[in-house]
Amino acid sequence: MVSYTDVFSGFSVDDIDAARAFYRDVLGLTVTDNAMGFLDVALPAGGSVLVYGKPDHTPASFTVLNLVVDDIDTAVDELQARGVVTKLYPDDVLPTDAKGIMRGNGPDIAWFTDPAGNVLSVLVD
């Protein structure tokens, strides 16, 4: 069996500077630049996600990062106050309330995008 010293995930963006500002200033995560000029986004429970620039970036069509919160309404209110739009999908696809929160169908969850168009979520676990 292979012995791993670390495991991490990553996804691309089209603008590293915009991603740095978004993940650090809007989401409040710890973001550092690594030796390759990419971003290491620290996860609150440990580990990190690599965010790398890609000139021909295409936004992921799935959720690339889920942020677990204690109170979905407070989290959505704070994100919306910072300019984040949480109502992404038509109600016939994923029914959400006026705040963009889907309730009562699994965990309460709200989706939004980063500046590169990648889908993220906040949810109550």
Side-chain angles (χ1 to χ4, degrees):
M1 187 66 138
V2 177
S3 178
Y4 303 103
T5 60
D6 194 9
V7 177
F8 63 92
S9 183
F11 54 87
S12 70
V13 296
D14 56 0
D15 184 333
I16 285 287
D17 292 330
R20 180 185 303 105
F22 180 78
Y23 286 93
R24 181 190 61 212
D25 302 335
V26 175
L27 298 184
L29 298 171
T30 301
V31 178
T32 55
D33 293 8
N34 70 22
M36 296 183 294
F38 301 149
L39 305 177
D40 289 317
V41 179
L43 303 177
S48 66
V49 174
L50 177 72
V51 177
Y52 57 94
K54 186 176 178 207
D56 61 344
H57 164 75
T58 301
S61 61
F62 52 88
T63 307
V64 299
L65 192 62
N66 296 287
L67 305 163
V68 181
V69 297
D70 290 327
D71 183 324
I72 189 101
D73 289 285
T74 299
V76 167
D77 290 344
E78 289 177 10
L79 289 170
Q80 288 177 341
R82 295 178 187 155
V84 172
V85 175
T86 55
K87 185 127 176 95
L88 293 186
Y89 303 110
D91 285 338
D92 61 332
V93 175
L94 290 171
T96 57
D97 63 18
K99 286 185 174 185
I101 302 170
M102 184 176 72
R103 301 176 194 268
N105 188 17
D108 291 349
I109 185 169
W111 292 274
F112 57 98
T113 59
D114 72 3
N118 294 311
V119 178
L120 313 174
S121 81
V122 286
L123 64 108
V124 175
D125 189 20

